[in-house]
Amino acid sequence: MTFLSFLISGISLGSIYAIIALGYTMVYGIAKMLNFAHGDVIMVGAYICFYATSRFELPAVVGVILAVIVCTILGIVIERLAYKPLRTAPRMSVMISAIGVSYFLQNTATYITGGQPMVYPEISWLTKTVTIAGTPTKLVVPITPVLVILLVLGLTQLINHTKVGMAMRAVSRDFETAQ
């Protein structure tokens, strides 16, 4: 019973790690750079969603949509200010810039939040207990891998069957020609 509980939780947590790793891999595959601020942008999204749902009492879906919008804008700003000017610079310069952006986002978040632990507001239907093969677990645990699989399938379709995906593949092959 305990092994199954650990297995279910491990698959759920591993799914989250996989989707984050997929983001790192895509950035490296296309831009040929390690974006050390990738996880920090995810952190900003989590804080946006947290404040939207707990402080402003918006529905969770609105918080997620708001987080996606803010993280997209943040990603564009980071790319334009920190990475694009260094496009022709040595790789070490871009890596140092990425580390600087990461530190900036971490310290800004610590300053704004006071560095205190926070608890997400409870989403009642996600915290319901379900039983999987005799093992009780929260509903969010089995939903997470399913959502990750759907996101990966959607991303695969985007990359293989759209103009944006074709552009991403072209840039990853030859940046200069793709320009």
Side-chain angles (χ1 to χ4, degrees):
M1 193 82 84
T2 303
F3 173 75
L4 189 57
S5 175
F6 288 140
L7 180 66
I8 293 168
S9 295
I11 290 170
S12 181
L13 185 59
S15 299
I16 294 169
Y17 290 160
I19 202 81
I20 293 169
L22 184 62
Y24 274 112
T25 304
M26 285 185 62
V27 170
Y28 185 78
I30 294 169
K32 304 292 186 255
M33 67 167 279
L34 292 173
N35 183 8
F36 289 105
H38 183 77
D40 301 304
V41 173
I42 293 169
M43 170 203 62
V44 169
Y47 275 124
I48 295 295
C49 193
F50 172 78
Y51 281 114
T53 55
S54 66
R55 301 285 195 261
F56 299 108
E57 298 179 5
L58 297 172
V61 173
V62 174
V64 169
I65 292 169
L66 189 60
V68 168
I69 291 168
V70 169
C71 287
T72 301
I73 293 167
L74 180 61
I76 291 167
V77 168
I78 290 170
E79 201 279 331
R80 296 251 168 91
L81 295 179
Y83 303 149
K84 191 174 183 178
L86 300 173
R87 193 78 68 212
T88 57
R91 284 188 177 208
M92 187 60 74
S93 300
V94 179
M95 190 163 66
I96 291 169
S97 179
I99 292 169
V101 169
S102 175
Y103 280 140
F104 174 77
L105 292 175
Q106 288 175 30
N107 288 320
T108 301
T110 301
Y111 178 76
I112 291 171
T113 65
Q116 298 301 312
M118 298 178 187
V119 178
Y120 248 68
E122 191 172 294
I123 301 172
S124 59
W125 65 274
L126 281 179
T127 56
K128 283 197 289 193
T129 302
V130 295
T131 303
I132 300 173
T135 304
T137 188
K138 301 287 183 192
L139 183 61
V140 71
V141 174
I143 285 178
T144 301
V146 172
L147 285 177
V148 168
I149 289 168
L150 291 174
L151 286 170
V152 168
L153 290 174
L155 181 63
T156 303
Q157 292 300 310
L158 175 97
I159 290 171
N160 292 327
H161 302 291
T162 65
K163 284 189 176 193
V164 170
M166 188 185 328
M168 291 165 65
R169 287 179 286 148
V171 169
S172 74
R173 291 268 177 148
D174 187 354
F175 183 78
E176 286 78 27
T177 305
Q179 281 182 322

